[in-house]
Amino acid sequence: MPARVVSLVPSLTEAVARTAPGLLVGVTDWCTHPADLTADRIGGTKNPDVAAIAALAPDLVIANEEENRAPDLDALRAAGLDVLVTEVRTLDQALGELHRVLVDGCGLARPAWLDEAEAAWAALPAPPENPRPAVVPIWRRPWMVLGHDTFAGDLLARLGVRNVYAGHPERYPRIPLDELNASGAELVVLPDEPYRFTADDGPEAFPALPAALVDGRLLTWYGPSLAEAARVLPSTLR
């Protein structure tokens, strides 16, 4: 069982900290949950300090193929470190990868919160046959939106919201604002991360659409927040 773990993914940091907080010896600057993290900070998700990580002598480094860059992961492996890389594009993948990280990777017992999260999503009603079309910006200046094959897009689909750019060849395409407004969407979903959309910053760009301001952590993080997401997001997206 690993005794020293470095996490390069905020969602996985929260998952390990909730399950066995003593394992974490290094986390990124973007790891904000839980608030009482005491592990060493080793840089960002896209620019981790490889030397600092190696100096911590972790038994395992946990990463994600989207959030972390392949050259950094290769450098960690070249330093002799064991790196577990996750892939999360859907809820089912998230649940499976959380089990793999915590149980297979860290040698922990499967936590009750993971079972609760799985049950919370399984208990939701099936999505309607005609889901509500929506655009989901994640940035402005320039405007960027959710495209194909994203975890957040899968959650929205399960909640009866169809991302109108789910068929776009890019996962996070840049789309001009006038095109977004002419896309046929009936809703704009505005999370507060990575761009911090607020009631005063975002909805005014879509004057003809109702706006759903959502907690970005509930929409994009996979970990202990999943159970809360299943409870909160349905009403937020009405």
Side-chain angles (χ1 to χ4, degrees):
M1 173 178 171
R4 300 174 63 80
V5 173
V6 168
S7 172
L8 303 182
V9 186
S11 294
L12 299 178
T13 295
E14 185 180 18
V16 175
R18 173 75 175 270
T19 309
L23 287 183
L24 289 169
V25 295
V27 299
T28 77
D29 298 337
W30 298 103
C31 293
T32 57
H33 289 73
D36 59 354
L37 277 172
T38 58
D40 286 3
R41 300 290 173 163
I42 47 73
T45 56
K46 305 296 185 187
N47 58 343
D49 186 332
V50 173
I53 295 171
L56 291 172
D59 303 303
L60 181 68
V61 178
I62 52 179
N64 176 264
E65 51 85 32
E66 177 180 15
E67 295 204 42
N68 308 121
R69 302 185 317 125
D72 294 324
L73 303 183
D74 290 341
L76 290 168
R77 294 188 186 98
L81 301 179
D82 185 11
V83 181
L84 188 162
V85 182
T86 59
E87 179 181 299
V88 176
R89 307 288 180 91
T90 67
L91 174 63
D92 289 341
Q93 268 191 317
L95 295 169
E97 290 288 56
L98 285 165
H99 181 98
R100 184 164 75 98
V101 166
L102 298 171
V103 179
D104 301 333
C106 296
L108 303 170
R110 181 178 169 93
W113 66 257
L114 184 52
D115 291 330
E116 292 165 3
E118 188 169 5
W121 281 91
L124 292 177
E129 293 185 4
N130 297 306
R132 193 178 188 187
V135 292
V136 191
I138 58 169
W139 202 258
R140 67 182 302 174
R141 295 185 291 272
W143 285 97
M144 299 175 65
V145 299
L146 291 186
H148 84 282
D149 200 22
T150 66
F151 172 72
D154 185 61
L155 291 194
L156 290 171
R158 292 168 181 269
L159 297 171
V161 176
R162 176 178 64 82
N163 173 18
V164 298
Y165 289 99
H168 196 282
E170 298 178 26
R171 297 185 67 214
Y172 303 102
R174 297 184 180 188
I175 308 291
L177 182 58
D178 57 352
E179 185 176 327
L180 295 178
N181 276 300
S183 66
E186 298 175 4
L187 175 72
V188 57
V189 178
L190 297 169
D192 64 5
E193 62 174 75
Y195 185 91
R196 188 172 180 79
F197 288 107
T198 67
D200 300 319
D201 185 357
E204 80 290 343
F206 303 89
L209 296 179
L213 293 163
V214 303
D215 184 333
R217 178 167 161 266
L218 299 185
L219 186 62
T220 63
W221 286 43
Y222 39 89
S225 61
L226 279 173
E228 182 183 357
R231 294 192 299 269
V232 173
L233 287 178
S235 59
T236 305
L237 294 167
R238 284 178 186 164

